[in-house]
Amino acid sequence: MTQVTEHGGGVWSLRVPIPDNPLGHTLVHVLDTGRGPVLVDTGWDDPASWTELTDGLTALGLSVRDVHGVVITHHHPDHHGLSGRVREESGAWIAMHAADTAVIRRTREAEPGTWFDYLARKLATVGAPEDHIAPLRAARASGRMRTLPGLRSALPDREIVPGELLDLAGRRLRAVWTPGHTPGHVCLHLEEEHPSRLPGHGRLFSGDHLLPGISPHIGLYEDPDDATETDPLGDYLDSLERIGRLGVAEVLPAHQYAFTDAAGRVRELLDHHEERLTGLLGLLATPLTPWQLAERMEWNRPWDQIPYGSRTIAVSEAEAHLRRLVKLGRAEPVAGTDPVTYVAV
Protein backbone atom coordinates (compact mmCIF):
# COMPACT_ATOMS: atom_id res chain seq x y z
CA MET A 1 0.00 0.00 0.00
CA THR A 2 1.38 3.43 -0.98
CA GLN A 3 2.50 5.36 2.06
CA VAL A 4 1.69 9.06 1.81
CA THR A 5 2.11 11.47 4.72
CA GLU A 6 0.48 14.89 4.85
CA HIS A 7 2.60 17.49 6.64
CA GLY A 8 0.14 20.36 6.27
CA GLY A 9 0.43 23.65 4.45
CA GLY A 10 0.53 22.06 1.00
CA VAL A 11 3.39 19.62 1.77
CA TRP A 12 3.29 15.82 1.54
CA SER A 13 5.90 13.05 1.55
CA LEU A 14 5.89 9.86 -0.50
CA ARG A 15 7.89 6.77 0.50
CA VAL A 16 9.81 5.68 -2.61
CA PRO A 17 11.73 2.40 -2.13
CA ILE A 18 15.49 2.01 -2.62
CA PRO A 19 16.19 -1.50 -3.95
CA ASP A 20 18.45 -3.70 -1.80
CA ASN A 21 19.37 -0.92 0.61
CA PRO A 22 19.00 -0.92 4.43
CA LEU A 23 17.71 2.67 4.34
CA GLY A 24 14.57 1.23 2.77
CA HIS A 25 13.19 4.29 1.04
CA THR A 26 13.62 7.93 0.10
CA LEU A 27 11.06 10.45 1.29
CA VAL A 28 10.11 12.41 -1.82
CA HIS A 29 8.38 15.63 -0.80
CA VAL A 30 5.59 17.20 -2.81
CA LEU A 31 5.18 20.96 -2.51
CA ASP A 32 2.04 22.61 -3.83
CA THR A 33 2.72 25.85 -5.76
CA GLY A 34 0.70 28.27 -7.84
CA ARG A 35 2.01 26.68 -11.03
CA GLY A 36 1.59 23.05 -10.00
CA PRO A 37 3.30 20.52 -7.73
CA VAL A 38 7.07 20.62 -7.26
CA LEU A 39 9.00 17.57 -6.08
CA VAL A 40 11.91 17.74 -3.68
CA ASP A 41 14.00 14.76 -4.88
CA THR A 42 12.52 11.87 -6.90
CA GLY A 43 13.94 8.53 -5.73
CA TRP A 44 15.93 5.67 -7.26
CA ASP A 45 15.61 4.83 -10.95
CA ASP A 46 13.88 1.46 -10.61
CA PRO A 47 10.51 0.17 -11.89
CA ALA A 48 9.18 -0.47 -8.38
CA SER A 49 10.30 2.99 -7.25
CA TRP A 50 8.62 4.62 -10.26
CA THR A 51 5.41 2.77 -9.46
CA GLU A 52 5.45 3.94 -5.85
CA LEU A 53 6.16 7.52 -6.90
CA THR A 54 3.34 7.63 -9.44
CA ASP A 55 0.92 5.79 -7.13
CA GLY A 56 1.72 8.28 -4.40
CA LEU A 57 0.94 11.19 -6.69
CA THR A 58 -2.30 9.48 -7.73
CA ALA A 59 -3.27 9.17 -4.06
CA LEU A 60 -2.95 12.97 -3.88
CA GLY A 61 -5.20 13.39 -6.93
CA LEU A 62 -2.22 14.19 -9.14
CA SER A 63 -0.46 12.71 -12.14
CA VAL A 64 3.25 12.79 -12.84
CA ARG A 65 2.28 14.87 -15.88
CA ASP A 66 1.15 17.61 -13.47
CA VAL A 67 4.64 18.05 -11.96
CA HIS A 68 5.90 21.59 -12.61
CA GLY A 69 9.44 21.27 -11.28
CA VAL A 70 11.95 19.06 -9.48
CA VAL A 71 14.34 20.43 -6.85
CA ILE A 72 17.25 18.08 -6.08
CA THR A 73 18.99 18.22 -2.71
CA HIS A 74 22.00 16.31 -4.10
CA HIS A 75 23.07 14.14 -7.00
CA HIS A 76 23.00 10.66 -5.39
CA PRO A 77 20.85 8.12 -7.28
CA ASP A 78 18.36 7.58 -4.46
CA HIS A 79 17.50 11.29 -4.75
CA HIS A 80 18.08 12.20 -8.39
CA GLY A 81 17.55 8.85 -10.10
CA LEU A 82 14.00 9.34 -11.39
CA SER A 83 14.35 13.04 -12.23
CA GLY A 84 14.96 12.46 -15.93
CA ARG A 85 11.90 10.25 -16.28
CA VAL A 86 9.74 12.77 -14.42
CA ARG A 87 10.94 15.46 -16.83
CA GLU A 88 10.23 13.26 -19.86
CA GLU A 89 6.67 12.60 -18.67
CA SER A 90 5.79 16.12 -17.53
CA GLY A 91 8.13 18.66 -19.13
CA ALA A 92 9.14 19.75 -15.62
CA TRP A 93 12.38 21.63 -15.02
CA ILE A 94 15.12 20.16 -12.78
CA ALA A 95 17.15 22.36 -10.41
CA MET A 96 20.45 21.48 -8.68
CA HIS A 97 23.47 23.20 -7.15
CA ALA A 98 26.29 23.82 -9.65
CA ALA A 99 28.84 21.71 -7.73
CA ASP A 100 26.70 18.59 -8.01
CA THR A 101 25.81 19.38 -11.62
CA ALA A 102 29.56 19.32 -12.30
CA VAL A 103 29.76 15.82 -10.76
CA ILE A 104 27.00 14.59 -13.07
CA ARG A 105 28.56 16.20 -16.12
CA ARG A 106 32.02 14.70 -15.62
CA THR A 107 30.54 11.28 -14.81
CA ARG A 108 28.49 11.32 -18.01
CA GLU A 109 31.43 12.50 -20.11
CA ALA A 110 34.07 10.13 -18.69
CA GLU A 111 35.29 7.17 -20.70
CA PRO A 112 33.68 3.95 -19.43
CA GLY A 113 36.79 2.72 -17.61
CA THR A 114 37.91 6.03 -16.12
CA TRP A 115 36.22 5.58 -12.76
CA PHE A 116 37.36 1.97 -12.28
CA ASP A 117 40.96 2.92 -13.16
CA TYR A 118 40.83 5.88 -10.77
CA LEU A 119 39.31 3.83 -7.95
CA ALA A 120 41.82 1.02 -8.34
CA ARG A 121 44.73 3.49 -8.15
CA LYS A 122 43.19 5.28 -5.20
CA LEU A 123 42.60 2.08 -3.24
CA ALA A 124 46.18 0.97 -3.82
CA THR A 125 47.36 4.35 -2.50
CA VAL A 126 45.39 3.98 0.75
CA GLY A 127 46.70 0.47 1.40
CA ALA A 128 43.82 -1.73 0.23
CA PRO A 129 44.79 -5.39 -0.16
CA GLU A 130 45.12 -6.83 -3.64
CA ASP A 131 42.08 -9.09 -3.18
CA HIS A 132 39.95 -5.95 -2.80
CA ILE A 133 41.37 -4.23 -5.88
CA ALA A 134 41.33 -7.28 -8.20
CA PRO A 135 37.52 -7.29 -8.76
CA LEU A 136 37.70 -3.68 -9.96
CA ARG A 137 40.27 -4.61 -12.57
CA ALA A 138 38.15 -7.58 -13.63
CA ALA A 139 35.04 -5.40 -13.91
CA ARG A 140 37.02 -2.85 -15.91
CA ALA A 141 38.13 -5.53 -18.35
CA SER A 142 34.61 -6.96 -18.72
CA GLY A 143 32.90 -3.59 -19.31
CA ARG A 144 30.43 -4.00 -16.42
CA MET A 145 31.06 -0.36 -15.52
CA ARG A 146 28.25 0.59 -17.88
CA THR A 147 25.69 -0.97 -15.53
CA LEU A 148 26.54 1.20 -12.51
CA PRO A 149 23.94 3.76 -11.33
CA GLY A 150 24.45 7.45 -12.05
CA LEU A 151 26.29 7.15 -15.36
CA ARG A 152 23.40 8.67 -17.32
CA SER A 153 21.88 10.91 -14.65
CA ALA A 154 19.81 13.78 -16.00
CA LEU A 155 21.53 17.14 -16.35
CA PRO A 156 19.48 19.87 -14.64
CA ASP A 157 17.88 22.84 -16.42
CA ARG A 158 18.26 25.33 -13.57
CA GLU A 159 20.91 26.19 -11.02
CA ILE A 160 20.11 26.40 -7.33
CA VAL A 161 21.89 29.51 -6.07
CA PRO A 162 22.70 29.51 -2.33
CA GLY A 163 20.85 32.17 -0.36
CA GLU A 164 18.30 32.85 -3.09
CA LEU A 165 14.60 32.08 -3.15
CA LEU A 166 13.60 29.51 -5.75
CA ASP A 167 11.15 30.66 -8.41
CA LEU A 168 8.07 28.94 -6.97
CA ALA A 169 4.74 30.73 -7.32
CA GLY A 170 3.18 31.44 -3.95
CA ARG A 171 5.95 29.82 -1.86
CA ARG A 172 9.07 31.08 -0.09
CA LEU A 173 11.68 28.34 -0.47
CA ARG A 174 15.26 29.49 0.10
CA ALA A 175 18.36 27.46 -0.79
CA VAL A 176 20.96 26.83 1.90
CA TRP A 177 24.23 25.36 0.63
CA THR A 178 25.29 22.52 2.95
CA PRO A 179 28.35 20.75 1.43
CA GLY A 180 29.78 17.67 3.09
CA HIS A 181 27.72 14.64 2.04
CA THR A 182 28.26 15.89 -1.52
CA PRO A 183 29.97 19.10 -2.68
CA GLY A 184 26.68 20.60 -3.87
CA HIS A 185 24.23 19.36 -1.25
CA VAL A 186 21.52 21.90 -0.43
CA CYS A 187 18.87 22.15 2.25
CA LEU A 188 15.71 24.07 1.41
CA HIS A 189 14.22 26.44 3.96
CA LEU A 190 10.47 26.90 3.63
CA GLU A 191 10.18 30.37 5.13
CA GLU A 192 6.49 30.17 6.00
CA GLU A 193 4.66 29.82 9.30
CA HIS A 194 4.37 26.22 10.41
CA PRO A 195 0.83 24.93 9.68
CA SER A 196 0.50 23.74 13.28
CA ARG A 197 2.07 26.96 14.58
CA LEU A 198 5.01 25.14 16.12
CA PRO A 199 7.57 27.57 17.53
CA GLY A 200 10.41 28.34 15.17
CA HIS A 201 11.08 29.75 11.73
CA GLY A 202 9.46 27.62 9.05
CA ARG A 203 10.42 24.13 7.91
CA LEU A 204 13.54 22.60 6.40
CA PHE A 205 13.80 20.02 3.62
CA SER A 206 17.12 18.65 4.82
CA GLY A 207 17.94 15.95 2.23
CA ASP A 208 20.65 13.76 3.77
CA HIS A 209 22.34 16.59 5.65
CA LEU A 210 20.32 16.35 8.85
CA LEU A 211 18.64 13.03 9.68
CA PRO A 212 16.97 12.16 12.99
CA GLY A 213 18.68 8.87 13.80
CA ILE A 214 21.77 8.43 11.62
CA SER A 215 24.79 10.42 10.53
CA PRO A 216 25.19 10.70 6.75
CA HIS A 217 28.21 9.25 5.02
CA ILE A 218 31.00 11.82 4.70
CA GLY A 219 33.71 10.62 2.32
CA LEU A 220 36.10 12.38 -0.02
CA TYR A 221 34.73 14.28 -3.02
CA GLU A 222 35.80 12.13 -5.96
CA ASP A 223 37.24 13.82 -9.07
CA PRO A 224 39.87 11.93 -11.09
CA ASP A 225 41.03 15.17 -12.74
CA ASP A 226 41.39 17.33 -9.64
CA ALA A 227 44.15 16.86 -7.07
CA THR A 228 42.81 19.63 -4.78
CA GLU A 229 42.72 18.47 -1.17
CA THR A 230 39.17 19.22 -0.12
CA ASP A 231 37.91 18.80 3.45
CA PRO A 232 34.40 17.29 3.26
CA LEU A 233 34.11 16.62 6.98
CA GLY A 234 35.11 20.20 7.74
CA ASP A 235 32.54 21.36 5.19
CA TYR A 236 29.88 19.18 6.81
CA LEU A 237 30.57 20.40 10.34
CA ASP A 238 30.48 24.04 9.21
CA SER A 239 27.24 23.39 7.34
CA LEU A 240 25.69 21.76 10.40
CA GLU A 241 26.35 24.86 12.46
CA ARG A 242 24.79 27.02 9.73
CA ILE A 243 21.62 24.90 9.78
CA GLY A 244 21.50 24.95 13.57
CA ARG A 245 21.32 28.75 13.50
CA LEU A 246 18.20 28.81 11.30
CA GLY A 247 15.90 27.99 14.20
CA VAL A 248 13.42 25.97 12.12
CA ALA A 249 10.27 24.59 13.66
CA GLU A 250 10.47 21.21 11.91
CA VAL A 251 12.82 19.21 9.71
CA LEU A 252 11.53 17.16 6.76
CA PRO A 253 14.45 14.85 5.88
CA ALA A 254 14.84 12.53 2.88
CA HIS A 255 15.07 9.41 5.07
CA GLN A 256 13.48 8.15 8.29
CA TYR A 257 10.88 10.68 9.57
CA ALA A 258 10.10 14.34 10.25
CA PHE A 259 11.32 15.78 13.54
CA THR A 260 11.63 18.94 15.62
CA ASP A 261 14.57 20.41 17.61
CA ALA A 262 16.96 20.76 14.70
CA ALA A 263 19.43 22.63 16.92
CA GLY A 264 19.51 19.72 19.37
CA ARG A 265 20.14 17.22 16.59
CA VAL A 266 22.93 19.42 15.22
CA ARG A 267 24.59 19.43 18.65
CA GLU A 268 24.36 15.63 18.81
CA LEU A 269 26.04 15.26 15.42
CA LEU A 270 28.78 17.77 16.22
CA ASP A 271 29.48 15.90 19.46
CA HIS A 272 29.42 12.56 17.62
CA HIS A 273 32.06 13.64 15.13
CA GLU A 274 34.26 15.20 17.80
CA GLU A 275 34.12 11.95 19.79
CA ARG A 276 34.93 9.98 16.65
CA LEU A 277 37.91 12.18 15.78
CA THR A 278 39.20 11.81 19.34
CA GLY A 279 38.81 8.04 19.12
CA LEU A 280 40.72 7.95 15.85
CA LEU A 281 43.62 9.81 17.45
CA GLY A 282 43.86 6.94 19.92
CA LEU A 283 44.04 4.45 17.05
CA LEU A 284 46.71 6.58 15.37
CA ALA A 285 49.08 6.24 18.29
CA THR A 286 50.60 3.66 15.93
CA PRO A 287 51.05 4.68 12.26
CA LEU A 288 48.23 3.31 10.08
CA THR A 289 47.24 3.50 6.43
CA PRO A 290 43.70 4.76 5.74
CA TRP A 291 42.66 1.16 5.01
CA GLN A 292 44.09 -0.07 8.32
CA LEU A 293 42.32 2.77 10.11
CA ALA A 294 39.00 1.85 8.48
CA GLU A 295 39.47 -1.78 9.61
CA ARG A 296 39.80 -0.58 13.21
CA MET A 297 37.03 2.04 13.20
CA GLU A 298 33.66 1.33 14.79
CA TRP A 299 30.96 0.58 12.20
CA ASN A 300 27.45 -0.84 12.44
CA ARG A 301 28.92 -4.35 12.14
CA PRO A 302 32.35 -6.02 12.40
CA TRP A 303 34.72 -5.31 9.50
CA ASP A 304 34.69 -8.92 8.28
CA GLN A 305 30.90 -8.69 7.90
CA ILE A 306 30.91 -5.44 5.89
CA PRO A 307 30.09 -6.09 2.20
CA TYR A 308 32.69 -5.42 -0.48
CA GLY A 309 31.22 -2.17 -1.81
CA SER A 310 30.60 -0.82 1.67
CA ARG A 311 34.27 -1.31 2.56
CA THR A 312 35.23 1.06 -0.25
CA ILE A 313 32.76 3.61 1.14
CA ALA A 314 34.10 3.07 4.66
CA VAL A 315 37.71 3.72 3.67
CA SER A 316 36.62 6.96 1.97
CA GLU A 317 35.02 8.00 5.26
CA ALA A 318 38.24 7.12 7.10
CA GLU A 319 40.16 9.31 4.63
CA ALA A 320 37.79 12.22 5.22
CA HIS A 321 38.34 11.97 8.97
CA LEU A 322 42.11 11.73 8.47
CA ARG A 323 42.08 14.82 6.28
CA ARG A 324 40.21 16.75 8.97
CA LEU A 325 42.74 15.67 11.61
CA VAL A 326 45.64 16.69 9.38
CA LYS A 327 44.06 20.10 8.69
CA LEU A 328 43.57 20.59 12.44
CA GLY A 329 47.22 19.73 13.05
CA ARG A 330 46.25 16.68 15.14
CA ALA A 331 47.72 14.04 12.77
CA GLU A 332 50.31 13.94 10.00
CA PRO A 333 51.57 11.60 7.27
CA VAL A 334 54.71 9.63 8.04
CA ALA A 335 57.44 10.61 5.60
CA GLY A 336 58.75 7.89 3.30
CA THR A 337 55.87 5.43 3.79
CA ASP A 338 54.24 3.74 0.78
CA PRO A 339 51.33 3.31 1.03
CA VAL A 340 51.30 6.39 3.22
CA THR A 341 50.62 5.94 6.92
CA TYR A 342 49.38 8.56 9.38
CA VAL A 343 50.15 9.11 13.04
CA ALA A 344 48.70 11.32 15.77
CA VAL A 345 50.74 14.34 16.83
Side-chain angles (χ1 to χ4, degrees):
M1 193 171 178
T2 302
Q3 297 194 39
V4 179
T5 301
E6 182 175 2
H7 297 282
V11 178
W12 299 264
S13 61
L14 315 177
R15 290 166 63 105
V16 177
I18 310 171
D20 302 318
N21 189 295
L23 277 175
H25 59 268
T26 301
L27 293 174
V28 172
H29 290 93
V30 182
L31 179 65
D32 188 30
T33 80
R35 299 191 188 101
V38 167
L39 304 183
V40 178
D41 294 332
T42 58
W44 191 280
D45 185 4
D46 179 80
S49 305
W50 176 256
T51 297
E52 289 295 310
L53 176 64
T54 55
D55 286 354
L57 291 170
T58 299
L60 297 177
L62 300 169
S63 162
V64 70
R65 292 184 296 276
D66 299 323
V67 174
H68 171 63
V70 176
V71 182
I72 299 299
T73 60
H74 61 295
H75 73 82
H76 287 164
D78 56 323
H79 296 258
H80 182 45
L82 286 171
S83 303
R85 188 166 180 186
V86 170
R87 181 167 61 189
E88 289 172 7
E89 296 280 341
S90 64
W93 46 261
I94 301 172
M96 183 183 289
H97 187 281
D100 273 16
T101 299
V103 174
I104 290 175
R105 182 169 285 110
R106 68 172 174 260
T107 303
R108 287 170 59 100
E109 294 173 353
E111 291 298 319
T114 297
W115 286 99
F116 273 7
D117 291 341
Y118 166 72
L119 191 54
R121 289 194 307 271
K122 184 171 178 296
L123 285 167
T125 300
V126 300
E130 178 57 30
D131 62 3
H132 188 84
I133 302 172
L136 293 172
R137 298 196 179 103
R140 166 74 165 92
S142 71
R144 291 203 308 273
M145 173 97 179
R146 295 181 183 276
T147 67
L148 294 178
L151 292 180
R152 304 306 302 170
S153 295
L155 284 166
D157 312 285
R158 299 185 180 185
E159 180 181 340
I160 295 176
V161 180
E164 292 190 2
L165 289 170
L166 279 73
D167 182 19
L168 303 181
R171 309 307 297 246
R172 288 187 58 85
L173 189 67
R174 192 177 303 277
V176 184
W177 185 32
T178 51
H181 185 55
T182 71
H185 192 291
V186 293
C187 293
L188 301 153
H189 187 192
L190 190 59
E191 298 178 340
E192 302 168 7
E193 184 178 42
H194 192 281
S196 299
R197 299 182 181 273
L198 294 179
H201 184 38
R203 291 180 280 181
L204 185 77
F205 299 104
S206 66
D208 280 2
H209 184 70
L210 191 63
L211 303 171
I214 55 178
S215 176
H217 165 69
I218 309 296
L220 296 188
Y221 303 145
E222 305 290 3
D223 184 352
D225 300 319
D226 188 354
T228 304
E229 288 211 350
T230 56
D231 180 16
L233 182 55
D235 292 344
Y236 178 66
L237 299 176
D238 289 345
S239 300
L240 274 178
E241 293 184 344
R242 191 179 314 125
I243 289 300
R245 292 192 291 268
L246 289 178
V248 298
E250 187 177 26
V251 179
L252 303 175
H255 302 289
Q256 299 190 300
Y257 49 86
F259 63 100
T260 57
D261 191 17
R265 181 60 182 145
V266 164
R267 287 193 299 273
E268 289 176 358
L269 286 165
L270 291 172
D271 290 344
H272 162 76
H273 282 285
E274 182 55 37
E275 289 171 8
R276 190 160 214 199
L277 289 169
T278 300
L280 296 189
L281 287 174
L283 294 175
L284 291 170
T286 301
L288 298 172
T289 66
W291 184 273
Q292 291 169 333
L293 182 63
E295 289 179 314
R296 292 160 174 77
M297 288 170 68
E298 186 174 325
W299 305 104
N300 60 1
R301 67 190 86 176
W303 182 258
D304 61 5
Q305 296 177 21
I306 295 177
Y308 174 88
S310 297
R311 290 188 183 193
T312 300
I313 294 171
V315 76
S316 180
E317 189 156 326
E319 287 182 277
H321 281 75
L322 273 172
R323 193 164 288 180
R324 177 94 288 248
L325 289 171
V326 170
K327 285 185 175 290
L328 292 172
R330 298 163 74 180
E332 64 184 14
V334 178
T337 54
D338 183 20
V340 63
T341 61
Y342 294 81
V343 66
V345 293

